[in-house]
């Protein structure tokens, strides 16, 4: 393991071991302080965040983009502070920490026994939403995690999410799709963060007026298993409570090839994501390149 990898692993380990012991107001202030310091340094991640916000808020002035990126970094650090503390939260704190709208789309889908795929963008705190599902709805689910380096850091993330009641599969290796399909055919729940392509098989979509790639997995799983495909968007307000919206189901088109159906469904997902991101851009934690115009073709997927 390189020195950089050891440092990253130690840093996250310190966060999970120390931040979760802090009183919540102290953790909130710490997160905001770190966010503001990172924003003032204007490193690569902050500059990329502003470039992405420029697509989401066309015509925004440099001053407006700077305001958004500062709010975005504060939202991003709120995600991390909450995530470090989630394992120490009581069940009641988890249940009261998230309030979703139109939950009936999810509960009715699960009651039907056909299985449900929840697809989310990188908005607010998807881990908190997942912990709420396993706690408030008492519903386990399966998700997929990107393999991180070093391996010990990936293991930390898997253990953290499994501790919240999730079944976590590695993104790489090709076996995840089959396992997810089996869970859905058994009437289970699958949750996927789906606004950034991590493979070479992403689907091109129109996203805020430009072309981007998003994963085909949610649409393919719905087609293969008959599961319900539901977009979900999340956001923060000025309270300790996160908000959310379960959007109406995305139907499988009645005609067309598998690729054509997948394209239509993934575009519908992108449109739902865009609605939530446009309403709460500061809660979209996309510090990476996303649009095709920003990607180096020689380097492949985002």
């Amino acid at each position: 393991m390189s020195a950089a990898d050891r440092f990253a692993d130690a840093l996250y380990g310190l966060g999970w071991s120390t931040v979760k012991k802090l009183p919540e107001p102290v953790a909130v202030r710490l997160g905001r302080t770190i966010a503001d310091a990172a924003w003032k340094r204007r490193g690569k991640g902050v500059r990329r965040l502003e470039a992405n916000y420029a697509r989401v808020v066309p015509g925004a002035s440099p001053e407006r983009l700077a305001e958004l990126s500062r709010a975005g970094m504060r939202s991003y650090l709120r995600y991390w502070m909450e995530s470090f503390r989630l394992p120490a939260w009581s069940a009641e704190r988890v249940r009261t920490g998230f309030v979703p709208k139109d939950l009936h789309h999810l509960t009715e889908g699960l009651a039907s026994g056909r299985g449900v795929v929840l697809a989310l963008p990188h908005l607010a705190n998807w881990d908190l939403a997942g912990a709420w599902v396993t706690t408030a709805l008492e519903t386990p689910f399966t998700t997929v995690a990107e393999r991180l380096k070093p391996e010990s850091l990936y293991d930390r993330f898997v253990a953290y999410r499994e501790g919240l009641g999730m079944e976590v599969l590695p993104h790489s290796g090709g076996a995840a799709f089959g396992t997810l399909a089996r869970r859905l055919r058994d009437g289970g729940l699958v949750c996927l963060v789906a606004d950034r392509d991590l493979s070479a098989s992403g689907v091109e979509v129109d996203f805020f007026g430009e072309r981007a790639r998003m994963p085909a997995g949610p649409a393919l799983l719905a087609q293969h298993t008959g599961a319900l495909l539901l977009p979900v968007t999340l956001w923060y307000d000025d309270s300790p409570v996160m908000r959310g919206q379960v959007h109406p189901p995305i139907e499988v088109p009645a005609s067309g090839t598998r690729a054509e159906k997948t394209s239509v469904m993934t575009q519908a997902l992108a449109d739902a994501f865009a609605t939530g991101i446009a309403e709460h851009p500061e809660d979209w934690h996309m510090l990476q390149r996303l649009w095709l115009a920003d990607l180096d073709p020689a380097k492949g997927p985002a």
Side-chain angles (χ1 to χ4, degrees):
M1 186 188 301
S2 69
D5 285 346
R6 287 196 300 271
F7 177 75
D9 183 60
L11 191 61
Y12 282 103
L14 180 65
W16 268 301
S17 64
T18 303
V19 173
K20 69 180 180 182
K21 299 176 183 177
L22 296 175
E24 189 158 342
V26 175
V28 170
R29 288 196 299 271
L30 176 62
R32 181 162 290 201
T33 299
I34 295 171
D36 288 349
W39 177 77
K40 288 177 182 176
R41 284 200 303 269
R42 292 196 56 77
K44 182 171 63 176
V46 172
R47 297 195 304 273
R48 173 48 48 194
L49 190 63
E50 285 189 11
N52 290 339
Y53 286 158
R55 258 76 173 233
V56 174
V57 188
S61 66
E63 293 77 15
R64 171 61 176 148
L65 291 175
E67 290 174 1
L68 273 176
S69 66
R70 184 176 190 178
M73 290 303 294
R74 287 181 171 184
S75 176
Y76 186 46
L77 263 294
R78 176 173 173 176
Y79 159 77
W80 278 112
M81 291 295 122
E82 286 180 349
S83 295
F84 287 143
R85 292 174 52 76
L86 262 176
W89 280 15
S90 67
E92 181 62 20
R93 178 68 179 89
V94 172
R95 281 193 292 267
T96 59
F98 177 46
V99 177
K101 296 193 296 185
D102 294 330
L103 186 63
H104 66 92
H105 292 308
L106 172 58
T107 55
E108 291 171 3
L110 291 171
S112 73
R114 61 184 289 193
V116 175
V117 179
L118 294 180
L120 307 88
H122 285 81
L123 274 169
N125 191 339
W126 47 96
D127 285 332
L128 172 55
W132 186 88
V133 167
T134 61
T135 303
L137 299 185
E138 298 181 343
T139 301
F141 66 87
T142 304
T143 189
V144 173
E146 177 184 359
R147 276 209 174 273
L148 302 171
K149 291 184 179 181
E151 190 75 14
S152 57
L153 181 56
Y154 170 77
D155 291 340
R156 285 186 188 274
F157 273 96
V158 170
Y160 155 65
R161 289 181 170 133
E162 288 179 342
L164 298 176
M166 312 174 193
E167 179 187 22
V168 183
L169 307 176
H171 180 272
S172 60
F177 189 91
T179 303
L180 296 173
R182 287 194 295 273
R183 300 292 183 268
L184 292 169
R185 291 192 181 101
D186 290 339
L189 177 62
V190 165
C191 300
L192 301 171
V193 179
D195 58 343
R196 188 164 69 97
D197 177 42
L198 294 174
S199 71
S201 58
V203 177
E204 283 198 23
V205 296
D206 182 81
F207 197 53
F208 290 100
E210 292 191 43
R211 302 301 287 174
R213 269 199 307 265
M214 293 189 180
L220 287 172
L221 284 167
Q223 291 178 61
H224 276 276
T225 67
L228 205 63
L229 175 55
L230 299 176
V232 177
T233 52
L234 310 170
W235 66 93
Y236 290 127
D237 57 18
D238 293 329
S239 76
V241 177
M242 184 176 72
R243 311 290 173 175
Q245 170 83 49
V246 183
H247 296 258
I250 292 174
E251 302 294 341
V252 178
S255 61
T257 65
R258 178 186 300 172
E260 289 168 343
K261 293 178 180 179
T262 301
S263 178
V264 169
M265 296 173 73
T266 306
Q267 182 63 62
L269 264 185
D271 292 342
F273 292 167
T275 297
I277 292 167
E279 291 175 351
H280 305 279
E282 67 280 3
D283 290 323
W284 189 41
H285 309 150
M286 186 55 66
L287 280 73
Q288 299 84 16
R289 298 176 187 271
L290 179 72
W291 282 272
L292 299 186
D294 293 334
L295 296 174
D296 179 354
K299 294 182 180 178

